[in-house]
Amino acid sequence: MIGLISATAAGAAARDRLAAAWPGRTRVYEGPVGEAVRTAFAECEQLVCFLATGAVVRLLAPLLGDKAADPGVVCVDEGGRFAVSLLGGHGGGANELAREAGELLGAEPVVTTATDAVGLAGLDTLGLPYEGSVATVSRALLDGEPVALEAESAWPLPPLPTSPQGAYTIRLTDRDVAPGEREVLLRPPSLVVGVGASRGAPVEEVLGLVEGALREAGLSPRSVAELATVDAKSEEPGIVAAAERLGVPLVTYSAEELAAVEVPHPSHAPLAAVGTPSVAEAAALVRGGELLVPKRKSVREDGQAAMATCAVVRRPGRGRLAVVGLGPGARDLLTPRAAAELRRASVLVGLDQYVDQIRDLLRPGTRVLESGLGAEEERARTAVAEARKGHAVALIGSGDAGVYAMASPALAEASEDIDVVGVPGVTAALAAGAVLGAPLGHDHVSISLSDLHTPWEVIERRVRAAAEADIVVTFYNPRSRGRDWQLPKALAILAGHREPTTPVGVVRNASRPDEASRVTTLAGLDPATVDMMTVVTVGNTATRIIAGRMVTPRGYRWQERTQEGAR
Ligand code: SAH
């Protein structure tokens, strides 16, 4: 919950804008501000105070506790010009909150945490448990000292400016080692502990078994991602409580699913009791991975029969492939989500000219794999291969990456062992539409005139279908050197079904510094003025030029009405 506190009318107005934009996320604290700040500080994870920083500092001073537990606090000034991340920049999420609030209020976010200021990911913000001297190693990164990354498991970390060797180390490991003086340990959630228990098994017995198994195998409990068992044991108190004490979820599988898993130590007892020859090993292995600790039984001090079993598996880290559309060119048409994914990826794959477009957004340490025109298949394969190694990869494309671009070749290569995230971008047809007026007000299609990937007969059939159906058409890849007859041919097909006066919009380099556009007609268009940086939008029989803008009515009735009105 985000607590909102204000003192003045201007503050209250800004406060209400945040409350309206974030339904269910905020709580307004009214009344005297001192009391309001104290209550909100105790009740909320984050605070936005529409108050002077000085006032807030004085109010917060006696309340400050642990950096890890205190809420993040953002102050917004009376004029709504700045959103200051005051407290809990990383752990409290105040830097992010200042950015979000700033965006909504039109205020400049003010962030002073060193790692953010230079674009480094804070080691304490990676979403992984960590041990060791974060401050020391972060400072070394900031000072440009060599810091080595020793990743014993694959994990999709954000970019970190590390070196092959260094006096400082960031170690990604699930092994139970202690951090060195100049070392930070990051704990990937790579371990799955399968557990079985007979009815009434005490929590101490289950937990003792699990902790003992991890200890003897030299594994860190902080890397345990989940406890896994069979459905029938989903409410077994000893197992449920053990998961709770370890602070991990309990995941259960059907006996049928577990029975299908091949395990080294099947046995009769669980088969008779719950219908699968293995619970612990099968539940640990069911989603794949390497068996580190085969099934073992608890040992009871009273000499009674063991009531619990467990097995430990290490799962490979899942890589992450973000397919990111950069928009048509202008920086402010690149979405905030796309920018966030570019900063999130440690590996960036793309066409060199697109990489140049966004290089300044990348964090230090990002590995850039750029290639020239035409290497599409290779780029797709590279991006997927890097993700399958466990990296966080961004594959970029202009406009929308799914429109005549990289998303489909990449996803054709991708397997289920990686996570895929798509970020939509403003495609050229939309960017051009906004420049031209409202040409896409009714049904429309995009057709690429490039016969590189598609036989011309197929393209021609689609142009004909659009012509017959009276649909507005945007031509991508309309014309290039050596590919000059396709556009006239396509326009001729449309002209068979539309008047010579049908409006046509030509937009070159939409949203880029040298943007140029013109509205003409089917008869008036000179194909020689069209090139590969251009899209051509041909109206339907209802499209009109109104005040120099291309407008396709939302329906044919509207057209009748406006024509009657004009009469
Ligand atoms: N994925 C891109 C399209 C790639 S195909 C998108 O969604 O926009 C390349 C073609 O897109 C170019 O030949 C041109 O026709 C068109 N195009 C891309 N960006 C453009 C821009 N800024 N202005 C005009 N046309 C553009």
Side-chain angles (χ1 to χ4, degrees):
M1 193 55 69
I2 305 173
L4 305 179
I5 298 124
S6 62
T8 63
R15 173 197 74 189
D16 292 343
R17 274 164 67 199
L18 286 194
W22 294 337
R25 276 177 71 192
T26 63
R27 184 180 302 154
V28 170
Y29 288 82
E30 311 251 23
V33 290
E35 196 49 47
V37 167
R38 275 188 289 278
T39 319
F41 195 84
E43 293 179 354
C44 297
E45 290 80 47
Q46 296 183 315
L47 269 60
V48 180
C49 302
F50 299 87
L51 303 167
T53 49
V56 177
V57 167
R58 281 176 203 291
L59 288 169
L60 291 181
L63 309 176
L64 296 181
D66 180 1
K67 175 176 162 169
D70 283 346
V73 179
V74 168
C75 287
V76 177
D77 66 300
E78 178 76 6
R81 290 182 304 149
F82 302 106
V84 184
S85 169
L86 189 70
L87 187 70
H90 287 153
N95 294 348
E96 203 43 50
L97 184 64
R99 281 190 201 102
E100 278 188 64
E103 188 132 314
L104 279 167
L105 299 172
E108 181 76 21
V110 180
V111 172
T112 57
T113 342
T115 45
D116 280 72
V118 302
L120 283 184
L123 294 175
D124 49 352
T125 64
L126 303 178
L128 297 178
Y130 58 88
E131 293 160 38
S133 36
V134 164
T136 308
V137 176
S138 297
R139 192 160 317 119
L141 281 172
L142 281 172
D143 295 346
E145 303 251 12
V147 178
L149 175 65
E150 306 271 347
E152 295 176 11
S153 339
W155 197 256
L157 288 172
L160 295 165
T162 52
S163 324
Q165 264 148 30
Y168 300 83
T169 317
I170 299 169
R171 185 180 304 279
L172 185 77
T173 182
D174 56 23
R175 290 184 308 116
D176 190 16
V177 287
E181 226 173 86
R182 299 173 155 199
E183 185 173 58
V184 168
L185 298 180
L186 298 173
R187 298 300 190 183
S190 50
L191 304 176
V192 181
V193 183
V195 286
S198 38
R199 186 169 310 149
V203 56
E204 287 75 21
E205 185 169 342
V206 178
L207 200 58
L209 172 69
V210 170
E211 287 174 342
L214 292 170
R215 193 168 47 243
E216 280 170 39
L219 298 169
S220 169
R222 303 190 77 191
S223 271
V224 174
E226 61 193 43
L227 247 50
T229 189
V230 64
D231 283 344
K233 298 291 174 185
S234 65
E235 286 173 17
E236 182 59 42
I239 297 182
V240 172
E244 250 165 47
R245 289 212 210 155
L246 286 167
V248 299
L250 176 64
V251 179
T252 68
Y253 301 95
S254 71
E256 209 184 355
E257 207 174 344
L258 296 187
V261 181
E262 221 171 294
V263 298
H265 304 100
S267 86
H268 286 297
L271 184 61
V274 289
T276 163
S278 165
V279 173
E281 285 184 347
L285 279 167
V286 64
R287 292 283 177 265
E290 177 196 357
L291 186 63
L292 300 180
V293 181
K295 178 173 86 175
R296 53 191 279 163
K297 293 182 179 173
S298 50
V299 179
R300 292 182 61 109
E301 279 173 10
D302 58 11
Q304 298 279 310
M307 294 184 81
T309 55
C310 85
V312 184
V313 159
R314 179 184 283 144
R315 275 186 198 160
R318 282 175 75 82
R320 187 170 190 283
L321 174 63
V323 186
V324 182
L326 303 180
R331 176 54 58 83
D332 58 355
L333 290 180
L334 179 133
T335 66
R337 190 180 298 185
E341 286 297 342
L342 297 176
R343 294 166 57 77
R344 170 74 184 77
S346 66
V347 182
L348 183 90
V349 182
L351 185 65
D352 41 18
Q353 69 194 67
Y354 299 151
V355 174
D356 286 338
Q357 203 177 310
I358 48 87
R359 205 179 292 274
D360 63 300
L361 291 176
L362 303 178
R363 276 180 160 149
T366 309
R367 188 150 52 92
V368 178
L369 305 176
E370 49 196 313
S371 43
L373 269 175
E376 272 208 3
E377 300 287 321
E378 185 205 314
R379 270 197 296 281
R381 261 197 305 278
T382 305
V384 171
E386 290 291 332
R388 295 193 68 184
K389 284 186 211 157
H391 297 302
V393 181
L395 176 61
I396 58 172
S398 85
D400 184 277
V403 177
Y404 308 124
M406 292 307 299
S408 39
L411 298 196
E413 297 279 330
S415 41
E416 279 179 26
D417 56 357
I418 58 171
D419 293 324
V420 174
V421 181
V423 182
V426 177
T427 187
L430 300 184
V435 171
L436 295 169
L440 309 182
H442 207 275
D443 301 334
H444 54 275
V445 290
S446 294
I447 298 180
S448 167
L449 292 184
S450 165
D451 48 8
L452 215 63
H453 301 286
T454 316
W456 175 253
E457 303 80 75
V458 173
I459 299 173
E460 190 173 316
R461 195 163 46 176
R462 291 181 183 172
V463 175
R464 186 155 286 125
E468 285 165 4
D470 197 29
I471 300 176
V472 174
V473 185
T474 302
F475 291 115
Y476 282 67
N477 301 307
R479 186 168 178 273
S480 67
R481 239 180 302 142
R483 214 166 41 72
D484 57 0
W485 56 265
Q486 288 86 347
L487 180 63
K489 178 90 212 230
L491 294 173
I493 296 170
L494 290 174
H497 295 80
R498 299 177 195 183
E499 296 294 327
T501 53
T502 302
V504 173
V506 179
V507 182
R508 182 167 196 276
N509 281 326
S511 92
R512 295 177 190 149
D514 44 355
E515 172 184 300
S517 71
R518 111 194 81 91
V519 177
T520 169
T521 61
L522 257 184
L525 176 71
D526 175 7
T529 59
V530 173
D531 65 7
M532 277 301 274
M533 320 299 276
T534 310
V535 280
V536 177
T537 299
V538 182
N540 66 10
T541 56
T543 307
R544 296 288 173 266
I545 297 174
I546 300 175
R549 300 185 190 97
M550 198 172 158
V551 181
T552 303
R554 290 191 53 197
Y556 292 77
R557 290 173 180 285
W558 180 81
Q559 183 201 6
E560 282 161 24
R561 275 206 308 275
T562 52
Q563 277 172 358
E564 269 163 34
R567 245 181 249 142

